[in-house]
Amino acid sequence: MGQVLKPLLYGIRVLDLTHMLAGPYGTMMLGDMGAEVIKIEPPGEGDPARALGPHFAGGESEYFLAVGRNKRSLTLNLKDPRGRQVFYDLVRVSDAVLDNFRPGVLERLECNYARLRQVNPRIVHCSISGFGQTGPYRDRPAFDLALQAMGGAMSVTGMPGQPPARMGLPMGDLAGGIFAAFAIAVALFHCKRTGEGAYIDLSLLDCQVALLTYMAQYYLMEGEVPTPIGSAHRGVVPYQAFATADGYLVVAVFTERFWHGFCRALGLDSLADDPRFADNERRRENREILIPILAATFQTRATAEWLARLQAEQVPSGPINTVAQILNDPHVRARGMIAEVQHPTAGRVPIVATPVKVAGVEEQYTAPPGLGQHTEEVLTGVLRYSLEKIEELRSLGVL
């Protein structure tokens, strides 16, 4: 057997001041890679996600359980100067801080980067906010729906002629967490080489704009403003969902090498060399002719039969799974994408595992923490506080 390696971020300590989804998802990613994540929460309140319904297990919100693993919880009142001193002590022995407060809040709390770098010049501090620390929208509140709308995603999601649609996944929030984890990892690498800390100003709206990729490029260079086209692709045909005799499937004839096999799978060999559909550009020009032919053909057989024929020809295709179907899919299970942790009140909690599989590193997950579960453990183990000092801080409402 090969040697089991330590996780990539082993030895890195991250202080997590975030709440709800965008920030906690990012720190969860860092925790999955081995970072020690200390989640700092207000005493008696905690992350608002802990109270978010509709589903609870053992008194804990299942929403919180989804993004809380591999973290330790410490309660701390940052509004109290004594609480800030505890925080500074933690910053002094940590590598990174992640927050998602609105701009100006940390300045008022004296916990902004300018203050933290005085405590630890090597600290990496990433601030997630809806619109960033600068710009005319700086002080606006933000939430996933508004970010998807303002960022352009809703303008290209849904069916033609129908009202704007929100993406089913909360990508306004999730993209921020993913970009934050990436940015922190890059800044930590920079610090390792230079000894310099860094401040990262991460705007959730900026993240949405970045995800526009080629759609933005088409507008910037051609002036083309994209509109919703359902599951289809603006530049590739056929590349969309089709109804079958008993459901739906998708096909993606993204390059010419798939076209002839696709026609054979559908029993439409005559289309393969039809001059109207000879290459993607002609298929795109004649989309309104081709798609009805394909749609009528797909409705003659069941989804499983079509998928067998398409996969026999190596044509990219797949079923449109429900959440239940994909979480029980044998391939997903074989890839170890469903794990479980033992929670003190919720019991056995199944979780979606990390997609980052590192050779030689054994994945390990700890249950999402109870509010303040590790306060004493962190303060004694990391800061060497005495039990007497901890009790004094607790009696003063600092912890």
Side-chain angles (χ1 to χ4, degrees), residues 49-356:
R50 290 182 179 275
L52 191 63
H55 299 294
F56 293 84
E60 196 71 271
S61 165
E62 293 181 12
Y63 184 103
F64 178 79
L65 293 177
V67 292
R69 68 171 179 258
N70 289 343
K71 304 176 186 182
R72 296 195 285 174
S73 173
L74 176 148
T75 52
L76 190 62
N77 182 4
L78 293 178
K79 296 179 181 179
D80 188 309
R82 293 161 296 197
R84 289 197 292 273
Q85 188 56 57
V86 176
F87 181 60
Y88 298 153
D89 289 346
L90 285 168
V91 169
R92 194 170 287 112
V93 294
S94 296
D95 301 283
V97 174
L98 179 63
D99 80 88
N100 63 346
F101 290 110
R102 288 173 65 175
V105 171
L106 287 186
E107 283 81 356
R108 293 194 293 273
L109 291 174
E110 300 179 17
C111 293
N112 57 320
Y113 178 63
R115 180 69 181 88
L116 299 188
R117 71 182 298 187
Q118 295 174 4
V119 175
N120 180 357
R122 295 173 61 91
I123 199 71
V124 169
H125 184 179
C126 178
S127 290
I128 301 175
S129 61
F131 302 101
Q133 304 298 312
T134 61
Y137 301 162
R138 173 183 186 268
D139 295 319
R140 291 188 183 182
F143 45 94
D144 177 81
L145 180 62
L147 293 163
Q148 289 197 30
M150 295 177 69
M154 284 181 65
S155 76
V156 295
T157 304
M159 299 300 293
Q162 297 297 310
R166 168 186 173 273
M167 286 186 285
L169 297 176
M171 286 306 298
D173 285 331
L174 291 177
I178 294 168
F179 276 111
F182 166 73
I184 289 172
V186 170
L188 288 172
F189 179 71
H190 171 76
C191 182
K192 180 72 173 179
R193 292 196 305 175
T194 67
E196 299 174 355
Y199 179 67
I200 302 160
D201 171 12
L202 190 70
S203 156
L204 295 179
L205 183 62
D206 290 353
C207 294
Q208 293 303 290
V209 173
L211 294 179
L212 293 174
T213 57
Y214 68 88
M215 293 186 184
Q217 200 68 38
Y218 292 166
Y219 170 74
L220 292 171
M221 299 190 71
E222 307 297 334
E224 177 182 307
V225 180
T227 55
I229 53 174
S231 62
H233 194 287
R234 195 167 310 280
V236 181
V237 179
Y239 186 104
Q240 65 182 79
F242 288 98
T244 66
D246 65 348
Y248 291 88
L249 56 72
V250 296
V251 293
V253 183
F254 207 85
T255 63
E256 294 307 321
R257 70 188 185 94
F258 298 121
W259 173 242
H260 284 266
F262 174 76
C263 292
R264 286 193 298 272
L266 268 66
L268 298 173
D269 298 70
S270 61
L271 294 185
D273 298 311
D274 188 314
R276 297 172 298 174
F277 315 127
D279 55 40
N280 184 68
E281 185 60 25
R282 292 186 180 126
R283 292 194 296 275
R284 191 178 64 80
E285 292 172 353
N286 293 292
R287 182 197 301 261
E288 302 306 320
I289 300 172
L290 176 60
I291 297 303
I293 297 172
L294 301 181
T297 303
F298 273 115
Q299 289 181 352
T300 64
R301 297 176 187 270
T303 300
E305 186 174 353
W306 281 125
L307 289 175
R309 293 165 70 103
L310 289 163
Q311 288 161 13
E313 294 287 351
Q314 296 292 298
V315 177
S317 55
I320 298 180
N321 286 325
T322 64
V323 172
Q325 287 170 326
I326 191 58
L327 294 183
N328 289 289
D329 185 277
H331 181 81
V332 170
R333 294 280 175 164
R335 292 283 299 169
M337 281 304 298
I338 307 299
E340 65 178 51
V341 294
Q342 189 67 32
H343 190 274
T345 60
R348 187 184 67 83
V349 175
I351 59 171
V352 175
T354 178
V356 182

